[in-house]
């Protein structure tokens, strides 16, 4: 699986028509979305139109080819059961497949949410199209991990139980249940 050149952001204008509020970082000049969507499609992950538009924004690149949202992050506030977890997990799985040794932390406030998200991503990565890229997952309660043969990992845990503190070499952090995210949790997890 190889990466493709990022495309322009012309297709993102439609997202503003669907959302109540969208802020586009001024530094975005292109997006990694086309190759992420291609990798996702190869392993059987397909997105709704709004997810494609949001995915292109989340994976927007600046003029240096770095993720424009890397420092402040991408914040998504969408109603329940709309497909946020599906979109973000698809992006994470695609990144982990293409970039060896990628370390992603997916942290929720509650253990139940973290465990449910682990089950969701386990289901996605257990499909026949993706299984050949996968290593055995870790199912330790509260410290679940999706493991890839290329050394990439997506680790899951609850902030309320101290998950994510002091883990070196983290490439991506997903703060699920951010409505109950405390500044001290962010400070403890960021380098």
């Amino acid at each position: 699986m190889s990466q493709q050149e990022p495309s322009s952001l012309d297709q993102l204008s439609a997202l503003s028509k669907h959302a109540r509020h969208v802020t586009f970082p001024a530094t975005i000049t292109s997006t990694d979305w086309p190759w992420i969507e291609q990798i996702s499609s190869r392993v059987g992950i397909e997105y709704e139109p709004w997810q494609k538009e949001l995915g292109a924004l989340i994976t927007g690149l600046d003029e240096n080819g770095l993720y424009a949202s890397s420092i402040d992050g991408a914040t998504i506030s969408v109603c329940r059961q709309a497909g946020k977890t599906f979109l973000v997990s698809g992006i994470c799985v695609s990144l982990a497949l293409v970039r060896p040794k990628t370390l992603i932390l997916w942290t929720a406030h509650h253990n139940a949410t973290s465990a449910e998200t682990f089950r969701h991503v386990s289901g996605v990565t257990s499909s026949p199209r993706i299984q050949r890229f996968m290593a055995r997952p870790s199912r330790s309660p509260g410290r679940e991990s999706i493991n890839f043969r290329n050394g990439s990992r997506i680790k899951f845990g609850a902030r309320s139980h101290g998950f994510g503190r002091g883990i070196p070499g983290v490439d991506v952090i997903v703060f699920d249940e951010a409505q109950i995210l405390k500044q001290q949790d962010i400070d403890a997890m960021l380098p």
Side-chain angles (χ1 to χ4, degrees), residues 96 103 118 122 125 130-131 133-139 143-156:
L103 177 56
F118 171 73
S122 292
T125 57
I130 198 171
Q131 239 338 258
F133 302 107
M134 303 310 299
R136 185 179 192 100
S138 171
R139 298 186 182 279
R143 304 285 183 195
E144 294 92 350
S145 178
I146 304 291
N147 302 310
F148 297 76
R149 288 190 178 166
N150 68 3
S152 292
R153 295 174 295 156
I154 305 173
K155 298 173 65 96
F156 299 84

Side-chain angles (χ1 to χ4, degrees), residues 86-191:
F86 185 83
L87 169 64
V88 175
S89 65
I91 292 170
C92 290
V93 166
S94 296
L95 287 171
L97 283 168
V98 172
R99 297 190 172 142
K101 300 188 187 307
T102 295
L103 177 56
I104 299 167
L105 300 184
W106 192 301
T107 174
H109 183 74
H110 298 290
N111 271 332
T113 305
S114 176
E116 188 60 35
T117 305
F118 171 73
R119 282 190 288 278
H120 163 75
V121 180
S122 292
V124 169
T125 57
S126 68
S127 76
R129 287 178 162 180
I130 198 171
Q131 239 338 258
R132 63 189 170 130
F133 302 107
M134 303 310 299
R136 185 179 192 100
S138 171
R139 298 186 182 279
S140 249
R143 304 285 183 195
E144 294 92 350
S145 178
I146 304 291
N147 302 310
F148 297 76
R149 288 190 178 166
N150 68 3
S152 292
R153 295 174 295 156
I154 305 173
K155 298 173 65 96
F156 299 84
R159 294 185 298 275
S160 60
H161 288 31
F163 173 79
R165 295 173 186 226
I167 298 175
V170 176
D171 298 295
V172 176
I173 302 174
V174 177
F175 290 104
D176 205 345
E177 298 181 318
Q179 71 276 13
I180 44 180
L181 178 63
K182 298 176 182 154
Q183 186 62 45
Q184 66 191 33
D185 295 329
I186 297 171
D187 293 344
M189 294 183 74
L190 294 178

Side-chain angles (χ1 to χ4, degrees), residues 69-83:
S69 65
S70 64
I71 300 301
D72 296 328
T75 302
I76 306 165
S77 179
V78 179
C79 63
R80 295 178 50 81
Q81 307 303 319

